[in-house]
Amino acid sequence: MNETLQSMQEKVASGGLEKYHKSNRSKGKMFVRERLQRLFDDDINIEDAFFANCMDGSLPADGVVTGIGKINGEQVCVMANDSTVKAGSWGARTVEKIIRIQETAMKLEVPMLYLVDSAGARITDQVDMFPNRRGAGRIFHNQIKLSGRVPQVCLLFGPSAAGGAYIPAFCDIVVMVEGNASMYLGSPRMAEKVIGEKVSLEEMGGAKMHCSISGCGDVLASDEEEAINYARRYLSYFPSNFRSIPKRRETIDPPELEKSIADLIPQNQNAPFDMYHLIERLIDEESFCEIKKKFAPELITGLARIDGRTVGIIANQPRAKGGVLFPDSADKAAKFMQLCDAFNIPLLFLVDIPGFMIGTKVERAGIIRHGAKMLSAMSEATVPKISVIVRKAYGAGLYAMAGPAFEPDACIALPSAQIAVMGPEAAVNAVYANKIAALDEAERPAFIKEKQEEYKENIDLYRLASEMVIDDIVQPERLRQDLMLRFEAYQSKNVTFTERKHGVYPV
């Protein structure tokens, strides 16, 4: 090999100065090329623009690696910031490299991964990379074009600052490394200068905050290894693009557990139980890949396999706020349903919901608007949809969780299920409040119990089945088998929701 070429290759491949590598190692951060070696099955197969800005010895590869490799045997495109080169900041060639690899992902229709660790734009280069037609804005424009066409995954290893914060914002999923990852439009220093607010980086845009409060982060990883492993696992549930379906894997039955499904579910509609325990009894063993676990925990969202097939699960969690829907949980559901529908992943709704939250706080937070967003996403999803009424489905909660009016392929119920505008206690109080107040205190319990029993008879599950409100009542021990049969039967579903340009969404 030509010595000059070999020397130049070694120099570019080594990244920035050793002091920056040492600083990163002290923070538990890998070098960008080490991240890529661990992410791909082997290593990056094709690297484009390796010599970008090579005439400037301080900017190897202009601070970003772009190329093609394989994950789980499937081809993907990647861009990865090198934070040893001017803190991973963007110059004109950085931006052009990112745009080109996005265009490659678009042409090949393969997943696009963003390994982000960047301080943002180089102010000194702003005229060359900020405002023009192939400037930084084009990156986000391309992300929007790619959205729903191919999976887009962001692994956030360090900062994603200012306008660069929109890279994670436009991805399907954002995995943030605790302690190092952050994203913000304005830094704490800028906030203090401009609006007089003194705040720490974690409070402003840290990984814990975004994964639990803002919802901008989806998965909180303890270190970079965990983040990379999650990305590899996540992609195993997806097809390469919207034109295909996820690959079916080997079926692994759930383990035999001491408690049956029937044992799990309390007779008392208001007693909490852990929905995760039901999920693990329905899905293939250890196949649950949860998304947004720390955000709005009253609703569980995640990918799993049933009979080897990928499904998306939306489940109420009675152990968190009673499973009531809030603005954040409605948003969480809407994004997840759109993600699954975009990539032909069937949806399973596990329903145990008292309804949407009420009160001035949530009304001012726009719960009607957020709830409408959830209903829109659920209604528009054309993938197979199965709704299982586990225990209760009250009020608009029935609608939000793919109730009969929203064209699920099946709405089935366990024998423990109730469907009603509201529960017996609330209903009797709403209808008979004045009469109850007028009764002697000693007479009230008997009257209330009598009216509650009448109400329960009115909403009797077999009456609902007789009226074909629900499609079937399934014994708990048969539920997994029933779901396997139904998802197999519905896999050829092919419908168009409606003919139009696009809806006007209640965002």
Side-chain angles (χ1 to χ4, degrees):
M1 182 186 288
N2 180 286
E3 289 185 11
T4 303
L5 174 59
Q6 183 176 357
S7 173
M8 182 66 81
Q9 285 177 331
E10 290 173 356
K11 187 174 182 179
V12 172
S14 65
L17 298 175
E18 175 55 29
K19 65 178 181 179
Y20 299 123
H21 286 272
K22 186 176 179 181
S23 174
N24 277 351
R25 286 194 294 270
S26 71
K27 299 171 187 173
K29 296 173 74 170
M30 299 180 197
F31 178 46
V32 62
R33 295 185 182 277
E34 184 183 356
R35 289 169 181 163
L36 291 172
Q37 285 174 350
R38 298 191 184 210
L39 178 68
F40 292 132
D41 296 345
D42 299 309
D43 199 350
I44 192 165
N45 292 343
I46 299 169
E47 184 173 346
D48 293 321
F50 177 83
F51 294 107
N53 228 353
C54 66
M55 304 305 290
D56 184 335
S58 67
L59 291 167
D62 210 46
V64 68
V65 179
T66 58
I68 301 170
K70 287 190 175 181
I71 296 177
N72 307 318
E74 301 294 325
Q75 193 161 271
V76 303
C77 290
V78 68
M79 70 119 268
N81 300 123
D82 182 354
S83 60
T84 68
V85 179
K86 292 194 181 296
S89 59
W90 296 0
R93 293 170 185 84
T94 320
V95 169
E96 180 62 24
K97 285 179 70 170
I98 296 170
I99 291 171
R100 288 188 188 186
I101 196 63
Q102 288 179 310
E103 291 170 344
T104 298
M106 211 174 296
K107 287 182 283 189
L108 301 180
E109 292 193 331
V110 298
M112 180 73 217
L113 283 81
Y114 305 82
L115 278 58
V116 178
D117 191 354
S118 171
R122 295 174 205 151
I123 302 299
T124 52
D125 292 13
Q126 64 173 308
V127 174
D128 295 324
M129 54 73 63
F130 171 66
N132 45 325
R133 290 180 179 271
R134 288 184 72 83
R138 188 61 168 264
I139 296 170
F140 314 130
H141 179 67
N142 283 344
Q143 281 189 275
I144 296 163
K145 275 187 175 180
L146 286 165
S147 179
R149 186 170 176 179
V150 301
Q152 294 189 89
V153 177
C154 176
L155 299 183
L156 197 45
F157 297 114
S160 184
Y166 282 104
I167 281 187
F170 287 119
C171 284
D172 303 336
I173 190 164
V174 181
V175 183
M176 301 184 73
V177 177
E178 187 174 357
N180 286 330
S182 61
M183 53 177 154
Y184 48 82
L185 297 182
S187 67
R189 184 170 59 183
M190 184 182 292
E192 184 175 0
K193 184 77 173 175
V194 177
I195 63 173
E197 181 183 31
K198 290 188 177 182
V199 65
S200 70
L201 179 59
E202 174 57 39
E203 291 170 322
M204 175 69 79
K208 280 185 178 178
M209 187 283 287
H210 278 307
C211 289
S212 61
I213 298 173
S214 78
C216 292
D218 296 291
V219 178
L220 184 65
S222 59
D223 56 29
E224 296 195 1
E225 190 82 44
E226 184 181 329
I228 290 167
N229 289 339
Y230 184 92
R232 288 180 55 86
R233 185 176 184 222
Y234 171 87
L235 284 172
S236 73
Y237 293 85
F238 285 83
S240 291
N241 54 59
F242 76 105
R243 299 183 196 280
S244 51
I245 63 173
K247 286 186 176 178
R248 190 176 179 185
R249 302 299 178 100
E250 179 188 357
T251 301
I252 305 174
D253 289 329
E256 290 289 334
L257 298 168
E258 185 178 338
K259 276 192 172 184
S260 68
I261 292 176
D263 294 332
L264 282 179
I265 302 168
Q267 292 297 313
N268 180 354
Q269 293 285 345
N270 299 318
F273 83 98
D274 194 340
M275 187 62 78
Y276 287 108
H277 293 162
L278 174 59
I279 291 171
E280 72 177 327
R281 286 160 171 78
L282 296 179
I283 65 175
D284 293 4
E285 186 173 10
E286 295 185 355
S287 70
F288 195 49
C289 181
E290 191 165 3
I291 297 173
K292 287 191 185 298
K293 181 175 184 176
K294 295 181 178 297
F295 180 72
E298 63 273 13
L299 189 80
I300 299 168
T301 54
L303 302 160
R305 293 187 178 92
I306 295 179
D307 198 21
R309 292 186 175 87
T310 299
V311 297
I313 294 176
I314 302 102
N316 307 119
Q317 172 57 302
R319 291 190 68 177
K321 302 177 183 177
V324 175
L325 285 172
F326 287 77
D328 281 347
S329 37
D331 282 357
K332 175 178 176 177
K335 169 92 181 270
F336 181 73
M337 288 186 279
Q338 287 180 327
L339 171 67
C340 292
D341 189 50
F343 296 108
N344 308 306
I345 295 173
L347 290 168
L348 172 62
F349 297 81
L350 298 174
V351 187
D352 187 358
I353 182 168
F356 283 87
M357 189 59 186
I358 61 171
T360 56
K361 187 175 180 180
V362 291
E363 294 294 357
R364 291 177 180 181
I367 193 164
I368 297 170
R369 174 168 53 85
H370 291 276
K373 193 188 310 182
M374 179 178 176
L375 265 68
S376 294
M378 178 272 300
S379 189
E380 290 181 351
T382 58
V383 292
K385 294 183 286 192
I386 300 175
S387 183
V388 179
I389 314 299
V390 175
R391 196 165 52 151
K392 59 184 176 292
Y394 294 159
L398 172 66
Y399 300 161
M401 296 295 287
F406 289 83
E407 298 186 59
D409 295 282
C411 182
I412 61 180
L414 298 183
S416 51
Q418 286 186 358
I419 298 174
V421 172
M422 60 184 73
E425 297 86 355
V428 169
N429 184 65
V431 176
Y432 298 105
N434 292 336
K435 188 164 184 178
I436 291 169
L439 289 171
D440 289 337
E441 196 166 326
E443 297 174 335
R444 289 175 188 172
F447 178 81
I448 290 170
K449 185 177 180 181
E450 177 191 346
K451 295 304 176 186
Q452 286 179 356
E453 291 303 319
E454 288 177 6
Y455 186 82
K456 288 177 184 177
E457 288 177 16
N458 191 46
I459 60 168
D460 180 75
L461 188 61
Y462 292 95
R463 178 180 177 185
L464 296 176
S466 175
E467 298 291 343
M468 298 192 299
V469 171
I470 56 173
D471 296 296
D472 197 6
I473 302 172
V474 180
Q475 290 291 353
E477 65 271 18
R478 288 282 306 165
L479 182 56
R480 173 174 159 85
Q481 186 67 27
D482 191 82
L483 293 174
M484 290 167 62
L485 293 171
R486 287 182 182 276
F487 279 125
E488 182 179 12
Y490 302 153
Q491 64 181 323
S492 61
K493 180 180 179 181
N494 182 17
V495 300
T496 299
F497 177 66
T498 190
E499 187 175 343
R500 64 186 182 189
K501 185 176 180 182
H502 59 72
V504 180
Y505 298 108
V507 296

